[in-house]
Amino acid sequence: MDAFALLIAATLNAGTVIAFAALGLLINERSGIVNLGAEGMMLVAAIAGFAAAVHTGSPWVGLGAGALAGALLAAVFGLLVIWLNTNQYATGLALSLFGTGFSAFIGIRYTQERLPERPPLHIPVLGDIPFIGPALFRQHAMVYIAIALTIALAWFLYRSRAGLVLRAVGESPESAHALGYPVRRIRLLAVMVGGALCGISGAYISTVYTPLWVEGMVAGKGWIALALTTFATWRPARVLLGAYLFGGVTMLQFHLQGEGVQISSQLLTMLPYLATIVVLVLISRNATWIRVNMPASLGKPFFPGS
Amino acid sequence: MLKLETRPEPSRMMSVLSPLLALAITVLIGVVLFALLGKDPLRGLQAFFVEPVKSVYALTELAMKATPLLLIALGLAVCFRSNVWNIGAEGQFIFGAIFASGVAMMAGKDTSRLIVVAILLAGVLGGMLWAGIVAFLRDKANASEILVSLMLVYVADMVLSYLVYGPWKDPNGYNFPQTINFLAVTQIPKLATGFRVNIGLLIALACVALFWLFLFRSYAGYQLQVGGLAPAAARYAGFSSRKALWTALLLSGGMAGLAGALEAAGPLGQLTPHVPAGYGFAAIIVAFVGRLHPVGIVFSAILMSMFYIGGELAQSRLGLPKSLTGVFQGLLLFTLLACDTLIHYRVRWVARHATARAA
């Protein structure tokens, strides 16, 4: 039974990694912009965060550095896409390809470094409850921050004026522009917040989740986060649930390997990627459902006053 | 402040100049990067742009690296022109290599040299199969081809590693994850003794001509591109977007698979976990820098291949990480996309108060 509690704990932790990136991409896409650069931003943030944590000894500084790196790269992407009107898919792809190379390039001198393992928070009383304590209340603070962020984001999108403006910009930039909202600046801000959250996710991987730097260590989590926004039809709570689902699949794979199940490790490693495809197929089958929920101007360029 | 003004029609001159401008900016950033790292920028530039072309042998090596990029990028150009975002060519490349290796390992001592044809066809089939899954899921379930093709890269990578760690592992390979060395009879014929470059280069050049004919002189190619440029017009004309999807994906998958087969049965001569070398991703850049035009792609494939060789040289001569290649490749695509803005827009300097009044 204890092993099961640990599996739940590990699932929440693995899900948290994807949740930050996916929530960031959700904000990003709600503004009408698709950023395929998530994987690249996460990789650069992973090495930036790791390096910062190595030099300062603080994983929090690492997470901050990751957020900054993600936001900066997202700003470059945003300027190209929003002001120079470049193709969103191609530009995002360029960001991912660049980030993969760049992170490997600057990361090479950190491959020997190690960060200390972080003991999880031990919340008094709650953490001592049998089963529920080890499963839910002995986690890194970021796990709880992800949940708080999800609630805050849902409130922001559906209950605040600023959230309404953001959604308007994603649905119909022409109308928002006509009403006098600075569409391009709002989009840039959304893209940068998205980049910062992808950055936090990348830095979380390299400073807390597996505290070391390996080339390409994000291993497709950025792409999975992108798939999650579709899967969740651009709703925060569903994004979080989806992230835990994928965390569960990832952890199940390690769990099965640990239990000595006679399946080759490669086939198990495939599971999260296969699960992503399966879920994507199941969700996308209902085209109208996607169309109703998708920000109407997603991926379409908007160029005012030309 | 600077303001973009829409040109009445796209500038032809700029569409040729923009890749050159992008290259110039990338080189400039490279020079700054070398200087920042305390390396002689001239030696750096030499490694990337002089050494790869300074001898016949160097040129054949350049051509050898350019071949897979050229093949894959040709297929991707068709995809991108028809607005199908296949970015999983890397996975299709891996599957081509796997299928080709499967055939290559069947060779015995009496096998005819014709087996090479079977190896190449198997590669094409493998790539088509892997891209076919993407087409099928997009067609039947409307699943994003971007995400599915990418996820399949990771899956293909795991299939490859399953095979070389498991059933296909060379029993006499000192436990290394690799297959047996393929028999000499399966080796892709070389163009000349003493060089590694093989007939793959000729196949690639023939494909350039074929793709040019297909894109610009065939009705099918025309239909495909209309679908990409103006889906509504294509529907009105009765052009099937399903057909375009399948054609583009099978074509590009087949080309990536062919490249994988040429690599596995060519310079590698066996299957190892190092078969995926990022050609599938680099070819995306090759396709864009080559303006999605078969002839342009020849030039950009050579350029990208210089980046690969330059990166290796920068590692051995200047002690820089090999991943410098990826940095420059990514930068080139970035700057190209930015420079492409000049094709559709004119940059004008507008005084601030004037814009304020206009707004």
Side-chain angles (χ1 to χ4, degrees), chain B residues 69-79 204 207-208 211 255 293-294 297:
Chain B
L69 295 171
L70 179 53
L71 286 167
I72 304 170
L74 283 172
L76 290 182
V78 174
C79 272
C207 286
V208 171
F211 272 78
M255 292 299 280
H293 189 290
I297 287 172

Side-chain angles (χ1 to χ4, degrees), chain B residues 243-261:
Chain B
K243 208 176 114 193
L245 174 80
W246 278 94
T247 314
L249 274 164
L250 291 182
L251 209 56
S252 63
M255 292 299 280
L258 176 62

Side-chain angles (χ1 to χ4, degrees), chain A residues 219-220 224 269-278, chain B residues 151 154-155 158:
Chain A
I224 292 179
T269 313
M270 269 181 216
L271 275 179
Y273 307 109
L274 285 177
T276 307
I277 296 176
V278 169
Chain B
M151 288 298 130
Y154 295 95
V155 176
M158 284 305 132

Side-chain angles (χ1 to χ4, degrees), chain A residues 3-81:
Chain A
F4 189 56
L6 289 178
L7 184 64
I8 294 174
T11 292
L12 292 181
N13 199 19
T16 298
V17 171
I18 312 177
F20 274 101
L23 289 171
L25 292 169
L26 172 83
I27 300 172
N28 190 121
E29 293 185 5
R30 277 289 186 168
S31 81
I33 306 257
V34 176
N35 187 353
L36 297 185
E39 183 83 3
M41 295 192 292
M42 283 170 73
L43 275 167
V44 174
I47 183 58
F50 184 76
V54 165
H55 291 303
T56 62
S58 156
W60 291 107
V61 174
L63 288 170
L68 191 66
L72 281 176
L73 283 176
V76 176
F77 166 84
L79 289 175
L80 282 174
V81 161

Side-chain angles (χ1 to χ4, degrees), chain B residues 7 49 85 121 139 146 151 186 198 208 242 249 262 283 289 298 326:
Chain B
R7 288 180 193 271
F49 297 109
W85 289 85
L121 288 178
D139 185 15
I146 297 178
M151 288 298 130
T186 66
N198 59 36
V208 171
R242 282 186 62 200
L249 274 164
L262 283 165
V289 175
V298 174

Side-chain angles (χ1 to χ4, degrees), chain A residues 80 84-86 105 220 266 284, chain B residues 141 154 161 323 334 337 341 345:
Chain A
L80 282 174
L84 296 184
N85 226 6
T86 61
F105 180 72
Q266 288 88 8
S284 311
Chain B
Y154 295 95
S161 120
S323 41
F334 246 139
L337 292 168
T341 306
Y345 303 97

